[in-house]
Amino acid sequence: MTSRRTFLQQSAAVAAAITLIPRPSRAMSTDKRPLIVSTWPFGKAANEQAMKALQAGGSPLDGVEAGIRQTEDSGNLSVGLSGKPNAAGFGQLDACIMNGPGHQAGSVAGLEGIRHPISVARRVMERTPHVMLVGQSARDFALSEGQESIDTSNHPALSAKWWAQQERQVRPTDVNADNHDTIALLVLGADGTLAGGCSTSGLAGKMPGRVGDSPILGSGLYVDNQVGAAGATGIGENVMRYCATFLIVEFMRQGATPTEACQQVIDRIRSLDPKPNELGICFVAVDKQGRYGAAGTTEFPYAVTYPGYSEVEKVAAYPGN
Ligand code: SD4
């Protein structure tokens, strides 16, 4: 039988242990819910569209889809059908979506001629037993779901002629506003649930059939409803070889802030990569407590929206040089 003395000793030990368990305090929370964070300055319009969807009663997932659809329709030169073509002169689109509750995900890659890849990714998640569909089969599925098909053969930016007319052949390894601008958009809902999405036409001038990081879970996007979410933009090859957004979320799980986690992943990649000064990668992250952050190997503007605030913020190239 447990003596009174042993019981008291055990109770004291339990009480001491409880006070040592780190708990998210109110002070750590920034109370910025719902919070929407996305890549690049054009993310601001996407964030605001996402906020409208939330204010209309939509879920974080609805916010993600609405926001990214806005970018896919915006004439952006690296998202949706207005994106610059691959080396053969036509567009192949990649997208994925993740919903924190239930850890659900859907993804499409190499999708041609469909207006809203993010919505196709959502339908893969919600209406098939699978996570990822590619190429013509992804297109067939999109059409069977009533997704809008657009003939882009006359689009000025989607022709071999346009490509040939470029003064300078854009090299897929260049990182600048001319050749890529993926949207990764993260939502922390007022109820504390998370969702995220990513959509891109990929690197301009990529090989036909090339798939980047954007539709790959854990690379272009990762959401863990217990911890946080992260999204990537930049040279996909340098993101997907490191499962970068998965790692960002894991660093947040270990206690890093979103900014620290993004920086730690850049540190990790730089320490492993044979070309640590040519990475061209940028990340955004949010955590469950409503904190957000970013880091990029180049200066990186990103968009942040929460009630009463919608701005483009910027981080300097990390690490500074
Ligand atoms: C890709 N990560 O296909 C995408 C391109 C991108 O900013 O993010 N551009 O590699």
Side-chain angles (χ1 to χ4, degrees), residues 20-288:
L20 290 177
I21 295 171
R23 268 171 290 172
S25 67
R26 286 297 286 173
M28 282 169 73
S29 168
T30 49
D31 270 333
K32 293 184 172 102
R33 296 178 193 172
L35 169 66
I36 305 158
V37 177
S38 63
T39 50
W40 306 115
F42 59 77
K44 183 169 180 285
N47 287 2
E48 289 166 4
Q49 194 63 39
M51 184 62 90
K52 273 190 202 158
L54 299 178
Q55 285 166 345
S59 64
L61 190 71
D62 295 331
V64 167
E65 183 181 10
I68 292 182
R69 282 172 71 99
Q70 191 281 336
T71 310
E72 289 173 342
D73 270 347
S74 68
N76 186 292
L77 293 179
S78 200
V79 179
L81 288 171
S82 53
K84 288 182 182 177
N86 62 20
F90 58 93
Q92 291 186 314
L93 309 180
D94 298 337
C96 74
I97 198 162
M98 277 191 89
N99 197 22
H103 208 70
Q104 299 298 303
S107 168
V108 286
L111 182 65
E112 293 175 26
I114 297 291
R115 182 174 175 185
H116 287 300
I118 194 66
S119 297
V120 186
R122 180 170 180 174
R123 276 161 185 72
V124 172
M125 176 176 86
E126 291 180 338
R127 298 169 69 98
T128 81
H130 308 303
V131 168
M132 188 171 197
L133 295 178
V134 303
Q136 182 62 41
S137 304
R139 179 176 161 80
D140 292 344
F141 169 72
L143 295 175
S144 75
E145 286 291 311
Q147 289 290 304
E148 188 177 352
S149 170
I150 293 185
D151 177 6
T152 54
S153 50
N154 292 324
H155 190 295
L158 284 177
S159 71
K161 192 170 159 214
W162 174 89
W163 195 242
Q165 282 167 349
Q166 295 304 294
E167 286 174 9
R168 176 176 76 88
Q169 184 79 358
V170 179
R171 289 182 303 125
T173 49
D174 285 347
V175 188
N176 56 48
D178 289 345
N179 73 342
H180 55 87
D181 272 339
T182 296
I183 182 144
L185 186 146
L186 314 173
V187 175
L188 173 67
D191 62 353
T193 61
L194 287 149
C198 192
S199 181
T200 192
S201 56
L203 298 183
K206 64 188 179 183
M207 286 176 66
R210 176 265 190 190
V211 174
D213 60 316
S214 304
I216 306 294
L217 306 171
S219 289
L221 175 78
Y222 196 66
V223 177
D224 181 321
N225 208 45
Q226 294 182 339
V227 177
T233 181
I235 299 173
E237 284 73 6
N238 296 339
V239 174
M240 61 206 293
R241 285 182 294 123
Y242 299 99
C243 301
T245 56
F246 176 78
L247 199 52
I248 291 170
V249 171
E250 289 310 300
F251 284 149
M252 292 194 290
R253 190 192 307 279
Q254 291 166 18
T257 66
T259 299
E260 288 165 353
C262 293
Q263 292 176 343
Q264 285 171 14
V265 164
I266 291 176
D267 289 341
R268 168 75 63 86
I269 296 174
R270 282 173 60 89
S271 74
L272 293 172
D273 202 274
K275 294 184 180 171
N277 298 318
E278 297 173 31
L279 291 170
I281 51 177
C282 303
F283 303 110
V284 288
V286 302
D287 71 11
K288 189 89 173 161

